[in-house]
């Protein structure tokens, strides 16, 4: 059956979209979004996607989307910031700059039951990112994000992922559905790093000051280093020394990383119970 066509000659979609989406409808939406510029994709999403939020660590691409949305609508999707407790001071400063410039609400979620690094390390031990990477990612990012989605009624999120970042993102589509049914809109999926940098400079968008100090991509302070000479990767310096790691946990299979974290927790409990 041919999808309905409006008078402008573009495919029409229900407002709001009826969820969950079938694979056929998802394919139809991606065929429509793929040739659009990011602003057009964002405008379409604001008009069509229910329960739309933006999850952001305030990386360059996320900042571009924030700026674009500020010019598209007076009521942009609220921002969700996952505070791992291990961000650089410059990242927390950037959050304040963004709130001041754009006046958009920022809801902060932290690891469950933890307000400080000391709280987290009393609960999980020191340097969990070294002893169990999956458990760390789940505790500081995945669990807080899922809690945010459930409490805020999130059905879809805007991400800063781009295909040019490579690895698992190389075949990125404009709109995807993860293993939990969450919609993920990737409005700048087709942009490269140079386009992102150009937009930031042309539009006076706030950016992390660490990017002027030799960092190319900024995450937690304990696993982010300055990119080396000749290291041109877009996420150079992230997860230093861990060649196989390319994602933080938010964009991997939720059920897989949850199972790994729960296994670690059971092993820890068993170790405590059997300790002399």
């Amino acid at each position: 059956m041919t999808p309905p066509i409006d008078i402008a000659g573009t495919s029409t979609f229900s407002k709001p979209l009826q969820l969950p989406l079938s694979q056929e409808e998802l394919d139809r939406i991606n065929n429509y979004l793929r040739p659009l510029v990011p602003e057009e994709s964002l405008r379409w999403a604001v008009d069509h996607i229910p329960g739309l939020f933006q999850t952001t660590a305030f990386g360059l691409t996320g900042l571009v989307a924030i700026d674009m949305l500020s010019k598209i609508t007076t009521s942009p999707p609220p921002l969700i910031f996952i505070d791992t407790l291990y961000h650089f001071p410059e990242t927390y400063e950037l959050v304040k700059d963004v709130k001041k410039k754009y006046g958009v609400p920022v809801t902060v979620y932290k690891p469950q039951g933890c307000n400080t690094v000391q709280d987290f390390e009393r609960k999980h031990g020191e340097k969990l990112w070294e002893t169990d990477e999956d458990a760390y990612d789940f505790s500081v990012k995945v669990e807080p994000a899922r809690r945010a989605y459930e409490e805020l009624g999130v059905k879809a999120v805007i991400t800063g992922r781009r295909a040019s970042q490579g690895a698992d993102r190389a075949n990125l589509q404009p709109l995807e559905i993860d293993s939990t049914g969450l919609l993920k809109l990737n409005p700048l999926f087709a942009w490269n790093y140079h386009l992102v940098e150009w937009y930031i400079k042309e539009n006076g968008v706030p950016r992390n000051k660490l990017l002027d100090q030799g960092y190319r991509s900024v995450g937690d302070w304990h696993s982010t280093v300055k990119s080396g000479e000749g290291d041109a990767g877009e996420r150079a310096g992230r997860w230093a020394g861990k060649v196989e790691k390319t994602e933080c946990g938010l964009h991997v299979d939720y059920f897989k990383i949850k199972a790994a974290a729960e296994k670690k927790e059971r092993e820890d409990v068993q170790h405590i119970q059997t300790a002399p």
Side-chain angles (χ1 to χ4, degrees):
M1 179 179 178
T2 303
I5 303 295
D6 64 21
I7 57 173
T10 58
S11 296
T12 58
F13 303 92
S14 61
K15 291 186 180 182
L17 293 176
Q18 299 302 304
L19 305 180
L21 295 178
S22 66
Q23 185 61 51
E24 180 182 11
E25 184 69 350
L26 178 64
D27 292 342
R28 190 166 76 90
I29 291 170
N30 276 323
N31 288 337
Y32 174 73
L33 294 178
R34 202 168 289 114
L36 302 185
V37 298
E39 292 93 335
E40 292 171 334
S41 291
L42 287 167
R43 186 176 293 110
W44 179 89
V46 169
D47 288 342
H48 290 85
I49 301 180
L52 181 64
F53 286 69
Q54 182 177 357
T55 53
T56 182
F58 298 93
L60 287 181
T61 316
L63 291 166
V64 170
I66 291 170
D67 188 80
M68 288 178 172
L69 285 163
S70 74
K71 298 167 181 176
I72 289 169
T73 174
T74 56
S75 300
L79 300 177
I80 299 173
F81 174 54
I82 306 301
D83 182 1
T84 66
L85 304 175
Y86 291 94
H87 288 293
F88 286 93
E90 289 84 353
T91 301
Y92 293 114
E93 182 181 345
L94 176 60
V95 176
K96 294 178 181 178
D97 291 343
V98 169
K99 289 170 70 175
K100 181 178 179 180
K101 180 175 177 65
Y102 298 105
V104 64
V106 179
T107 303
V108 179
Y109 275 78
K110 299 180 180 182
Q112 193 162 40
C114 304
N115 284 314
T116 65
V117 168
Q118 292 73 25
D119 291 340
F120 184 81
E121 294 184 352
R122 275 194 295 268
K123 184 175 181 179
H124 297 281
E126 296 183 359
K127 297 185 178 181
L128 181 61
W129 59 88
E130 291 183 358
T131 59
D132 193 308
E133 198 169 43
D134 284 341
Y136 176 77
D137 280 351
F138 185 81
S139 297
V140 302
K141 297 178 182 177
V142 180
E143 187 283 326
R146 294 309 309 176
R147 186 161 23 99
Y149 301 158
E150 290 173 8
E151 293 179 0
L152 301 175
V154 178
K155 302 297 183 185
V157 293
I158 297 166
T159 87
R161 297 182 298 163
R162 291 179 288 107
S164 67
Q165 291 168 326
D168 292 341
R169 305 184 178 192
N171 297 312
L172 206 60
Q173 298 299 309
L175 186 67
E176 298 183 327
I177 304 175
D178 75 6
S179 58
T180 70
L182 181 75
L183 295 181
K184 292 183 176 181
L185 180 77
N186 311 303
L188 283 90
F189 79 103
W191 275 30
N192 60 31
Y193 185 80
H194 300 295
L195 273 173
V196 173
E197 273 200 317
W198 166 81
Y199 185 97
I200 293 283
K201 292 175 182 177
E202 285 293 310
N203 292 273
V205 180
R207 64 201 295 269
N208 198 311
K209 293 178 180 177
L210 291 174
L211 297 175
D212 297 320
Q213 299 175 28
Y215 293 87
R216 193 164 177 86
S217 179
V218 180
D220 290 342
W221 61 258
H222 54 69
S223 55
T224 304
V225 298
K226 296 179 181 180
S227 57
E229 185 176 352
D231 189 351
E234 290 199 30
R235 311 191 86 194
R238 295 289 294 278
W239 309 295
K242 298 176 181 179
V243 178
E244 295 182 359
K245 186 173 178 64
T246 59
E247 287 291 354
C248 67
L250 288 176
H251 301 298
V252 300
D253 186 279
Y254 168 73
F255 297 105
K256 182 178 180 180
I257 195 169
K258 180 183 179 183
E262 289 175 343
K263 179 182 178 183
K264 171 66 164 56
E265 185 177 354
R266 288 193 300 270
E267 290 173 349
D268 288 345
V269 171
Q270 185 178 17
H271 177 74
I272 292 171
Q273 291 174 341
T274 57

